[in-house]
Amino acid sequence: MSQAEAPGAEIVSQRVKRRGPAPASRTNLRAVAQHAGVSAATVSRVLADSESVRPETRDKVLRSVAELGYVVNGLARAMTGRGKQIVAFLVSEMVGPSFAALANGVEQVASENDAMFVLCTTHGDAERELEWVTLMAQQRAAAVLLVGASPMGEQHTSRLKRYLQELDPVGTRLILCGHPPSPDLPRIASISYDNHGGAYELTRHLTDLGHRKILFVGAEPNQSTVSDRLAGYQKALADAGIAADDELIIGGPFTIDGGYDGITLAMNRNLDFTAVLGASDAVSIGALRALKQAGKAVPGDVSLVGIDDVPLTADLTPALTTVHVPFEELGRMTAAVALGLTGEQAEHIELKTELVIRESTGHPPVTE
Amino acid sequence: MSQAEAPGAEIVSQRVKRRGPAPASRTNLRAVAQHAGVSAATVSRVLADSESVRPETRDKVLRSVAELGYVVNGLARAMTGRGKQIVAFLVSEMVGPSFAALANGVEQVASENDAMFVLCTTHGDAERELEWVTLMAQQRAAAVLLVGASPMGEQHTSRLKRYLQELDPVGTRLILCGHPPSPDLPRIASISYDNHGGAYELTRHLTDLGHRKILFVGAEPNQSTVSDRLAGYQKALADAGIAADDELIIGGPFTIDGGYDGITLAMNRNLDFTAVLGASDAVSIGALRALKQAGKAVPGDVSLVGIDDVPLTADLTPALTTVHVPFEELGRMTAAVALGLTGEQAEHIELKTELVIRESTGHPPVTE
DNA sequence: TTGAAAGCGCTACCAA
DNA sequence: TTGGTAGCGCTTTCAA
């Protein structure tokens, strides 16, 4: 270290105090300034593309930057409020095409707006979720997105309150995505889509074809998405004058295996049905597998429908009739709200869904 | 602001200087200290779970923290070197099940090790990729993961050099995931899998069944993954004593549509083939669609194989014979290297792939 | 147009 | 066990 350059007369002896916390890089803004023979302020201005700096000075600085391989410290920058915004995407599992489309939508808008997309998975663990929320509060994230269905009810509300408690003081927004507004916490923005309507249309399509015994598979209890879908299904049945039959509602998880097991169970129970409504496309895919194995023709013997319209459903045999959910749009909307691009007040947006009729539905077989 | 507390004799008048850069929260560690009647150092110790603090003091502090709704500033903390590590996952598009499995693997290991998983998409835009690398260097990320195949050759090398130039000075690791080592830059760690061997086995399976005219669809030019797969295919043909026929190699993107278009093209050209090797499962799915539309039976008329073994391939009709790629494992490995869990030196790991025979392959039809 | 210097909020050293 | 305090690296007045 050259100490000859100090212009001051008296040399303060043990001024040198070292405590390198960031051991990686020793080249900081000050070093660049020194190298370029200007002040730190000037370097900062150059880096911030500030107008008021003479071209020659700027060049000099930039040359030093290059020469020293200097990279601004975004962390320090963030501390002064000039950092990148963070949009945190909290989801249970990073699986499935719907997740991908949704995340893509969020990421697009985030990076269009110069924000950083941070993905956090909870694996359904409430503790982990809280940890993420806390971390994001600490990082002063712009927004935390709670993505996907989560359990409803009292417990959920108090959980959200807990989150708010951490996020509010630091100004981080909390947003529900794919989940209806929490009635007790209307302040929390929510971007969701019409699960009820989608399931209604789907069921209606089935009853219009003449089906009267329609199995609902994948009724995971106490979960907003499913319960809305279930409600839509029930409403459509009622409107068609079909009596509710709880036997036809099969529980189980929202997965391929869940669908497979659900159908297997239904057949073991000798349930009588001519159509199956999977609570999601994944469920329907599993259902299809089970149906095929049992030698049932789709839609000859049994009609099958799903919900979500994930990409590959069109490539199944038969191509699946389903409800299209605009996941990417949902993501874009959510990010827009997260970044405050849509106005200030709490928002509750519900996107429309759309029935897509393909090959897996037909008239019920004529029973004699 | 109380100015009475200044112990100095002379009161400098316009000392009050305000410039609130973080407008959200005014409660900082100092505020907590004041509220609790202790020093900042003590609060810091409590928050860091340091041993040397009396229980009563700790309680007092924690009470103040709760009362004030204080949340530590992770940014400031990061500046002193105590921040969360960042693992940045750079990928072209956030699509497909293979992406999900891979990302999941990385995320798992990252959060097991208390690091933050940041997902960045480039949409195939080199400029965007560089921007991300720069940002991550600024954020002092622990590692940047370049995920997925990327073009090969001279240009690629100089691109990597450019990245290194930004990442090296700040100690951020650069890692290639799903991409073989760069011959010119052996320092850069790479975690990949055996594309050549996978394609070889697959082709071998086909030739063993008696196929001699095997179409390769999805030969996107100048891309490491494909070129390795293509090489494996060619090697297997050669080993089976089958002459190479470039006509049978169809270009096009690595997607469902790419597969569809590829087959359509091949049939328009009246190409003679009894089996199709899709460069990826997506390609094969598209190929299957086209084949079906043309009235070809699979595997009766044409055998079809893919590579990747993405979840839904088992649910196609017929279930697809493919090569299983351990994406999640790949992700876990990559993250481990990224976080330096495996030793210090540059690593080049190649994971094994495995042939999965399902229903889409059979003997070629007997031609008379 | 440029420089000096005061923070931003936290951690860690050194004394007490 | 606790407090004082000097940084970490940057931005931004204020004055020159």
Side-chain angles (χ1 to χ4, degrees):
Chain A
M1 231 135 262
S2 62
Q3 28 215 132
E5 309 187 306
E10 3 156 331
I11 297 171
V12 186
S13 64
Q14 77 276 61
R15 208 226 217 95
V16 191
K17 206 175 221 175
R18 278 303 200 64
R19 191 181 53 87
S25 166
R26 291 265 104 238
T27 22
N28 55 12
L29 185 140
R30 205 115 40 201
V32 176
Q34 215 159 323
H35 183 106
V38 299
S39 77
T42 301
V43 178
S44 175
R45 279 189 277 256
V46 170
L47 263 37
D49 256 336
S50 175
E51 305 308 315
S52 39
V53 51
R54 208 160 24 131
E56 316 152 38
T57 317
R58 136 178 272 100
D59 285 353
K60 202 166 45 173
V61 170
L62 289 178
R63 219 164 320 131
S64 296
V65 166
E67 219 161 298
L68 266 46
Y70 168 69
V71 180
V72 274
N73 188 324
L75 275 36
R77 190 175 257 182
M79 244 187 44
T80 65
R82 303 258 131 271
K84 280 271 173 191
Q85 301 206 84
I86 291 181
V87 175
F89 187 95
L90 254 73
V91 68
S92 177
E93 299 296 340
M94 202 163 8
V95 290
S98 54
F99 154 79
L102 184 53
N104 235 316
V106 174
E107 200 275 344
Q108 275 172 34
V109 174
S111 64
E112 277 163 20
N113 290 278
D114 216 45
M116 225 162 87
F117 175 84
V118 175
L119 186 51
C120 324
T121 65
T122 63
H123 305 293
D125 181 348
E127 193 117 356
R128 246 179 90 98
E129 186 167 280
L130 176 57
E131 279 171 19
W132 276 119
V133 169
T134 303
L135 177 60
M136 288 306 138
Q138 293 179 358
Q139 299 292 112
R140 303 299 189 256
V144 169
L145 278 31
L146 252 34
V147 178
S150 40
M152 304 176 304
E154 172 58 41
Q155 219 174 347
H156 181 235
T157 304
S158 65
R159 191 167 57 105
L160 291 181
K161 278 204 187 112
R162 177 87 175 71
Y163 294 171
L164 243 26
Q165 203 175 308
E166 307 232 1
L167 299 175
D168 269 347
V170 298
T172 298
R173 275 178 249 246
L174 180 62
I175 295 171
L176 265 24
C177 173
H179 198 281
S182 180
D184 301 322
L185 264 18
R187 277 191 39 227
I188 303 181
S190 71
I191 325 295
S192 55
Y193 54 92
D194 189 10
N195 279 303
H196 185 284
Y200 182 91
E201 276 192 83
L202 210 44
T203 311
R204 180 66 186 269
H205 167 62
L206 255 13
T207 59
D208 283 353
L209 285 168
H211 294 274
R212 303 192 58 84
K213 300 190 175 296
I214 306 173
L215 206 60
F216 185 104
V217 179
E220 199 163 356
N222 199 39
Q223 202 254 38
S224 63
T225 302
V226 175
S227 80
D228 284 352
R229 291 177 179 185
L230 189 54
Y233 156 84
Q234 289 168 322
K235 176 78 163 37
L237 289 186
D239 284 1
I242 298 170
D245 180 354
D246 285 352
E247 280 238 295
L248 294 179
I249 298 173
I250 312 282
F254 229 57
T255 59
I256 294 184
D257 288 339
Y260 183 89
D261 296 343
I263 290 296
T264 307
L265 186 71
M267 293 196 296
N268 286 344
R269 285 188 189 157
N270 270 316
L271 255 31
D272 184 24
F273 59 92
T274 63
V276 174
L277 167 49
S280 75
D281 280 351
V283 170
S284 301
I285 289 168
L288 179 60
R289 194 190 291 176
L291 254 12
K292 277 185 179 172
Q293 280 184 13
K296 300 276 185 193
V298 177
D301 299 320
V302 176
S303 284
L304 176 66
V305 297
I307 306 181
D308 281 351
D309 192 24
V310 301
L312 262 57
T313 52
D315 288 287
L316 295 170
T317 308
L320 196 65
T321 293
T322 188
V323 169
H324 181 74
V325 176
F327 286 110
E328 188 162 322
E329 175 67 10
L330 185 65
R332 297 188 59 93
M333 275 297 205
T334 304
V337 174
L339 293 171
L341 269 34
T342 57
E344 270 309 312
Q345 71 287 49
E347 331 233 354
H348 297 290
I349 300 177
E350 187 179 81
L351 266 34
K352 285 281 147 240
T353 54
E354 194 183 347
L355 182 61
V356 182
I357 298 176
R358 289 200 271 249
E359 306 160 357
S360 66
T361 44
H363 294 287
V366 278
T367 51
E368 40 215 294
Chain B
M1 279 272 122
S2 61
Q3 28 215 132
E5 310 188 305
E10 3 156 334
I11 298 170
V12 186
S13 63
Q14 75 276 61
R15 214 234 211 87
V16 192
K17 208 175 223 176
R18 276 301 201 66
R19 192 183 49 89
S25 167
R26 288 267 105 236
T27 24
N28 55 12
L29 184 141
R30 204 114 43 201
V32 176
Q34 217 159 321
H35 183 105
V38 299
S39 77
T42 301
V43 177
S44 175
R45 277 188 280 255
V46 170
L47 264 36
D49 257 336
S50 175
E51 306 308 315
S52 40
V53 52
R54 208 159 25 133
E56 315 152 38
T57 316
R58 138 178 270 99
D59 286 353
K60 204 165 46 175
V61 169
L62 289 178
R63 221 168 315 133
S64 296
V65 166
E67 221 162 296
L68 267 47
Y70 168 70
V71 180
V72 275
N73 188 324
L75 276 37
R77 192 175 257 182
M79 243 188 45
T80 66
R82 302 257 133 272
K84 282 269 173 191
Q85 301 207 86
I86 292 181
V87 174
F89 187 95
L90 255 73
V91 68
S92 177
E93 300 292 342
M94 204 165 7
V95 290
S98 54
F99 154 79
L102 185 53
N104 235 316
V106 174
E107 201 276 341
Q108 276 172 33
V109 174
S111 63
E112 277 163 20
N113 290 279
D114 216 46
M116 228 162 84
F117 174 84
V118 176
L119 186 51
C120 323
T121 64
T122 62
H123 305 293
D125 181 349
E127 193 116 357
R128 245 178 89 98
E129 186 166 280
L130 176 57
E131 280 172 19
W132 277 119
V133 170
T134 303
L135 178 60
M136 288 306 137
Q138 294 180 358
Q139 299 292 112
R140 303 298 189 255
V144 168
L145 276 32
L146 253 34
V147 178
S150 40
M152 302 176 303
E154 173 58 41
Q155 218 173 350
H156 181 235
T157 303
S158 66
R159 190 168 58 106
L160 291 182
K161 280 207 186 108
R162 177 87 174 71
Y163 294 171
L164 241 27
Q165 204 175 308
E166 307 233 0
L167 298 175
D168 269 348
V170 299
T172 299
R173 277 177 248 249
L174 180 61
I175 295 170
L176 266 24
C177 173
H179 198 280
S182 180
D184 300 323
L185 265 16
R187 276 191 40 226
I188 303 182
S190 71
I191 326 292
S192 55
Y193 53 92
D194 188 11
N195 279 303
H196 185 283
Y200 181 90
E201 277 191 81
L202 210 44
T203 310
R204 179 66 186 269
H205 167 61
L206 255 16
T207 57
D208 283 351
L209 284 167
H211 293 274
R212 303 192 59 85
K213 300 189 175 295
I214 306 172
L215 207 60
F216 186 103
V217 179
E220 199 164 356
N222 201 38
Q223 201 255 37
S224 63
T225 301
V226 175
S227 79
D228 284 352
R229 292 179 179 182
L230 190 54
Y233 155 86
Q234 289 169 322
K235 175 79 163 38
L237 288 185
D239 284 1
I242 299 169
D245 180 355
D246 285 352
E247 280 236 295
L248 293 179
I249 298 173
I250 311 281
F254 229 57
T255 59
I256 294 184
D257 287 341
Y260 183 90
D261 295 344
I263 290 295
T264 307
L265 185 72
M267 292 195 298
N268 286 345
R269 285 188 188 157
N270 270 317
L271 254 33
D272 184 25
F273 60 91
T274 63
V276 175
L277 167 50
S280 75
D281 281 351
V283 170
S284 301
I285 289 169
L288 179 60
R289 194 190 288 175
L291 252 13
K292 277 185 179 172
Q293 280 183 14
K296 298 276 186 195
V298 177
D301 298 320
V302 177
S303 284
L304 176 65
V305 297
I307 306 182
D308 280 350
D309 193 24
V310 301
L312 262 57
T313 51
D315 288 286
L316 296 170
T317 308
L320 195 66
T321 292
T322 186
V323 169
H324 179 75
V325 177
F327 287 111
E328 188 163 320
E329 176 66 10
L330 185 64
R332 298 188 57 94
M333 274 299 206
T334 305
V337 174
L339 292 171
L341 268 36
T342 57
E344 271 310 312
Q345 71 286 49
E347 331 234 355
H348 298 289
I349 299 177
E350 187 179 81
L351 266 34
K352 285 281 147 240
T353 54
E354 194 182 347
L355 182 61
V356 182
I357 298 176
R358 288 201 272 250
E359 306 161 357
S360 66
T361 44
H363 294 286
V366 277
T367 51
E368 41 215 295

